[in-house]
């Protein structure tokens, strides 16, 4: 997928008003907290500062949770959509100024391929990988494994589609109903339209991140101790170790 083509969706109204995600997906804020918690738990067991790469930093919601989880560690936040990353640069300037936070404007795969093998302690992400076309996502998973140190951790809070299609469909229908309820109340039919279009992409055959397939890709890449630590409808937290 050339330069992660679909990310252009986030250059429009969705990216500009991404903070409204909490209205249509209240669990998103909790997922950012959970990703930060897992980062903190991993860092507690280490005596030295950890090098962390965050994929899809967006407006900085999860970035802040990661930075707050361990005061010693540094974060490279990767996002190739300026409309979102510029918001993160403004809100997280203090961490950038003190040297704990850097930014990359490359797409995920390009950013990872520029890193040395075994140079990263943690790769973390929230609601990013499900946006990728399936073949591109497989390459990203392989690159995550390559750049991690032995014993390094991958932490991903994301949309993992259930293998039981009927249950997943009902969860998605419930999600769409929530979109309508939340965005009609604030008269934002423009956002409603864009999020529905976005969801069609998420659920398309060449994008949907089905749980069993995702696990198999992780195993094929070499990951061990793969766990789903939390699930709420379509949302799940996954951790894995190199």
């Amino acid at each position: 997928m050339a330069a992660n083509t679909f990310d252009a969706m986030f250059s429009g109204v969705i990216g500009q008003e991404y903070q409204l995600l909490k209205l249509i997906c209240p669990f998103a804020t909790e997922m950012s907290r959970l990703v930060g918690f897992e980062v903190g738990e991993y860092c507690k067991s280490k005596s030295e500062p950890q090098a962390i790469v965050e994929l899809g930093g967006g407006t900085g919601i999860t970035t802040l949770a990661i930075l707050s989880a361990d005061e010693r560690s540094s974060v490279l936040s990767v996002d190739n959509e300026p409309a979102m990353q510029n918001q993160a640069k403004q809100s997280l300037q203090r961490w950038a100024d003190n040297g704990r936070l850097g930014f990359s404007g490359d797409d995920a795969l390009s950013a990872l391929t520029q890193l040395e093998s075994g140079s990263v302690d943690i790769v973390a992400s929230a609601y990013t990988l499900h946006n990728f076309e399936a073949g591109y996502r497989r390459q990203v998973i392989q690159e995550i494994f390559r750049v991690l140190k032995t014993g390094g951790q991958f932490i991903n809070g994301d949309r993992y589609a259930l293998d039981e299609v009927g249950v997943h469909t009902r969860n998605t229908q419930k999600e769409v109903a929530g979109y309508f309820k939340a965005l009609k109340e604030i008269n934002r039919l423009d956002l409603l339209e864009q999020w529905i279009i976005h969801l069609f992409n998420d659920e398309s055959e060449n994008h949907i991140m089905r749980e069993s397939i995702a696990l198999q890709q992780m195993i094929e890449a070499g990951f061990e101790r793969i766990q789903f630590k939390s699930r709420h409808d379509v949302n799940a937290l996954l951790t894995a170790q190199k």
Side-chain angles (χ1 to χ4, degrees), residues 132-150:
F132 299 157
E133 185 273 332
Y136 179 96
R137 183 164 57 235
R138 182 179 295 107
Q139 294 179 71
V140 167
I141 292 295
Q142 293 169 347
E143 282 297 299
I144 290 171
F145 184 83
R146 181 188 65 80
V147 303
L148 282 172
K149 298 176 183 177
T150 301

Side-chain angles (χ1 to χ4, degrees), residues 12 34 36 70 73 81 90 95-96 112 118 130 136 151 156 179 196 214 223 226 230-231 233-234:
L34 290 172
D70 184 81
S73 299
E81 181 41 66
Q90 291 177 14
W95 286 270
L112 289 168
H130 79 273
Y136 179 96
N156 188 43
Y179 289 8
I196 294 294
F223 282 100
I226 306 166
S230 177
R231 179 177 275 284
D233 296 334
V234 300

Side-chain angles (χ1 to χ4, degrees), residues 13 24-25 32 50 60-61 74 81 95 104 111-112 119 121 140 142 147 150 152 157-158 164 203 207 209:
V13 66
I24 64 172
C25 184
S32 292
Q50 301 293 286
I61 299 169
S74 61
E81 181 41 66
W95 286 270
S104 168
L112 289 168
S119 62
D121 296 290
V140 167
Q142 293 169 347
V147 303
T150 301
D158 217 324
E164 193 172 344
E203 297 295 306
H207 281 83
M209 190 159 67

Side-chain angles (χ1 to χ4, degrees), residues 10 22 41 59 67 69 98 102 118 124-125 128 139 151 154 157 167 170-171 175 182 187 205 228:
F10 292 96
K22 61 181 179 290
E41 288 298 292
T59 60
L67 287 164
N98 68 23
S125 185
T128 297
Q139 294 179 71
F154 175 47
V167 176
R170 288 192 293 275
N171 284 340
E175 182 180 9
N187 195 30
E205 185 176 350
F228 280 104

Side-chain angles (χ1 to χ4, degrees), residues 89-237:
K89 287 179 177 179
Q90 291 177 14
S91 62
L92 301 175
Q93 184 176 351
R94 176 163 66 92
W95 286 270
D97 288 345
N98 68 23
R100 289 192 55 211
L101 175 62
F103 293 95
S104 168
D106 292 325
D107 68 280
L109 186 59
S110 297
L112 289 168
T113 55
Q114 294 173 47
L115 298 174
E116 294 183 7
S117 299
S119 62
V120 176
D121 296 290
I122 300 171
V123 175
S125 185
Y127 296 111
T128 297
L129 270 67
H130 79 273
N131 291 305
F132 299 157
E133 185 273 332
Y136 179 96
R137 183 164 57 235
R138 182 179 295 107
Q139 294 179 71
V140 167
I141 292 295
Q142 293 169 347
E143 282 297 299
I144 290 171
F145 184 83
R146 181 188 65 80
V147 303
L148 282 172
K149 298 176 183 177
T150 301
Q153 190 89 341
F154 175 47
I155 302 167
N156 188 43
D158 217 324
R159 291 178 59 93
Y160 283 96
L162 290 165
D163 293 324
E164 193 172 344
V165 175
V167 176
H168 178 73
T169 299
R170 288 192 293 275
N171 284 340
T172 304
Q173 290 169 334
K174 175 182 174 184
E175 182 180 9
V176 171
Y179 289 8
F180 275 84
K181 183 177 186 299
L183 295 176
K184 283 178 67 178
E185 284 181 356
I186 62 171
N187 195 30
R188 290 304 306 269
L189 298 183
D190 58 332
L191 265 178
L192 176 60
E193 177 187 14
Q194 292 304 310
W195 276 112
I196 294 294
I197 292 171
H198 180 96
L199 184 63
F200 267 90
N201 189 84
D202 292 346
E203 297 295 306
S204 64
E205 185 176 350
N206 64 331
H207 281 83
I208 192 166
M209 190 159 67
R210 192 74 65 186
E211 183 175 306
S212 60
I213 296 174
L215 288 174
Q216 186 58 39
Q217 288 180 350
M218 300 285 292
I219 292 168
E220 290 174 356
F223 282 100
E224 301 177 345
R225 298 177 63 183
I226 306 166
Q227 302 179 65
F228 280 104
K229 297 228 176 150
S230 177
R231 179 177 275 284
H232 179 78
D233 296 334
V234 300
N235 311 282
L237 178 71

